[in-house]
Amino acid sequence: MLKAPFKATLLASALAFSGLALAAESFEIEHLPKVKNAGNITVSADGKTTAYTLSNPRDMVAGNEDGTADSHLYVMTGKNKPSLFIGTKGSVSSLQFSADGETLFFKTKREDDKNTSLYSISMNGGEATQRFAFETSIGDYAISKDGKTLYFVAREKEKKDDLKKKGFKAYVYEEDQRLASLWTVALDDKEAKPTKLFDKGHVSSFNLSADGKNIVVAVAPTNLIDDFYMQRDLHVINTSDGEVTASIDIPGKLGRFEFSENGKYIGLLAGTDIHDTSTGVLMVADTKSGKLTQLTADAEQHIVDIDWLGKDILAVAHRGVESAVVLYETDGDIKRTYKTPDDIVVRSADIGDDEIRFIADSPKHPREVFSLTRSKVKKLSDHNAWLKDINLAKQSTFSFKARDGRNVEGLLMQPSGDAPAGGWPLIMAVHGGPEAHYSDGWLTGYSTAGQHAVADGYAVFYPNYRGSTGRGVAFAKEHQNDYAGAEFNDLVDGVEALAQSGLINKDRVGITGASYGGYASMWGATALTDHFAAAVAFVGISNQVSKFGTSDIPNEMHLVHSLKWPWEDNWMNLIERSPIFHAGKAKTPILILHGEEDTRVHPSQSMELYRSIKVRTETPVRLVFYPGEGHGNRKAAAQYDYALRLMRWMDTYLSVDATRTTAMPEFDLGMAERLKKDDEKSEDKAED
């Protein structure tokens, strides 16, 4: 088993202490690029054919070029196994079948394309064909039932001149006024020119009615991401002339939406009000009057996907760490709850002629394709069969009482066998948002540790602290107007509960997370420094005041988190809830990482905390930037680098003999030698 030279030997001794032997084949960091996830599932109208995409990460240790994960196209017909239709480099997305199910449309950008364009491929095989290219990349799209008309979202091309070539490259922040419009064009007429059908605002997505007479469009006043989150409404228009026939005032954030088969209703997911943090409530709108009815506002759940099944709405609901597939009538009554296995988490679903297909994962495998009938659930794909030969850690729900009596739950991974004396060292992985949640499925990733951490002797805990989704709107709002208050106290209380259970060693606890989870990690290293022996913070928030001025979502920050503008609150209140305020007492060694192109949480947030800790303390602190990356690493090299640095930092400061002043590990990861050894290993396997 390939081990990094800096792996802490104490972790192996912890396994030996408990009488365990290392598994012949344990999950390692180098396995991460082999993990493939199915998604983007769509079913033909007759239910006979299912198409989906499969992520195919670039494997740096196998000699692949750096880049984002490719997505490949797979098709299943009848009871046949999945067939690879497109397996080239690049991304295939937005799958849509023609009305007769004979053709599949999708978006991609191939080598000779200037922009993302529309392609199609016959279900009888053959090469994919470009069907339409616009002057800019196309966004959402739909094909008329007769296949003759294409509707699509796009912005007009930016007017360019030769001034940039002469060095005039200045731009005005947030004043690019090119809004995306809804366009229409004759699909098979190469001479036809697209015309605007709707341009009253910035169009992000739309849905075409079954009879082709109406379109419902999601529109924001500007193209700013803040307005996308907080200011989108729906308008019903005629396809003949683009005239608005009804408008639907969305009370909060807007998620997925879709016409009913008869065109009378629009099923949608949205926030209950402007302060709702997410889009987990099922609603129904009347297409003529625009009247909106909230169906599940009080349910302790978060609906993540919907699709019409006849006159009813099929919903994928996340409840705590579990999921349910529920059929709702348009008045909100539950018509049926489908039986699904307890060991999977359903993520999304699609329907064709009563045939239900869905994407789901489990602690034992990433996202795969399943079928659902009245009598049974069947797994249809197996793209991660190699995991059957890997010793995977046990994963279970762990619930505890917070200091104020609130019940909080999370998911715990731990090595096999009994915990050693004093308990396992723990890595706590805090999700971002905080309007997000962990489900009892596949949790391992480059920034979330998981199976490779457990293989090295750690327990890993994934808490759904207050503010998380999955337990209803009220629970998700419990963090509001209380930055770093009860929400992060939940993290400490979770550690205490795990320690009291004898599972973990409270003196060897590390905290990590990205975005809001990065904020939690920075807070853990400063204000809560007594509780954490190591911290790894990714794209985190260190200063709530300067974050307001540098983030691209100030309104979202105000409306669903702080509930007050900085000047309406005591400025010192925000400062005191910022990690930089507590930097002087930081004793927790902290590794800070950030994408240089992050617009959500500006890289200066990481710089501020780095400088504050370095100047005010002797505590080990390191700052790593990733060029070309934003709010999270998308490319393979950056992900691999991050995963190695995360585990090396934890290995250094959570080992038995580590202190908070232990010297930082070398900055150099020895990547050249590592890749060389992995290349040799790959060659040896090829020869075998």
Side-chain angles (χ1 to χ4, degrees), residues 32-37 53-60 64-72 88-93 108 629 633-637 639:
L32 288 172
K34 295 181 66 177
V35 173
K36 303 181 190 303
N37 282 285
T53 57
L54 185 74
S55 67
N56 193 53
R58 306 285 179 92
D59 191 344
M60 300 302 296
N64 291 169
E65 293 180 0
D66 186 28
T68 58
D70 301 313
S71 63
H72 295 166
T88 55
K89 286 185 178 180
S91 174
V92 174
S93 64
T108 192
E629 298 289 355
N633 292 348
R634 299 180 66 244
K635 294 182 180 179
Q639 290 185 351

Side-chain angles (χ1 to χ4, degrees), residues 76 206 221 392 508 588 590 612:
M76 288 184 290
F206 69 96
L392 296 177
R508 298 168 65 196
T588 304
I590 181 170
S612 296

Side-chain angles (χ1 to χ4, degrees), residues 542-561:
S542 71
N543 185 336
Q544 289 290 2
V545 173
S546 60
K547 193 254 185 178
F548 162 75
T550 55
S551 175
D552 59 1
I553 53 169
N555 282 304
E556 199 263 1
M557 178 179 171
H558 158 236
L559 290 169
V560 306
H561 298 303

Side-chain angles (χ1 to χ4, degrees), residues 207-218:
N207 185 249
L208 178 65
S209 63
D211 62 10
K213 295 180 180 180
N214 298 105
I215 286 176
V216 55
V217 291

Side-chain angles (χ1 to χ4, degrees), residues 655-677:
S655 61
V656 173
D657 59 352
T659 69
R660 294 179 179 233
T661 58
T662 295
M664 291 188 292
E666 291 294 324
F667 170 79
D668 185 4
L669 291 171
M671 191 66 78
E673 185 65 23
R674 175 179 294 277
L675 294 179
K676 180 180 178 181
K677 287 183 178 180

Side-chain angles (χ1 to χ4, degrees), residues 2 61 676-688:
L2 180 66
V61 300
K676 180 180 178 181
K677 287 183 178 180
D678 288 327
D679 286 342
E680 293 172 352
K681 185 177 179 181
S682 297
E683 290 174 4
D684 291 341
K685 284 186 176 181
E687 291 176 3
D688 293 341

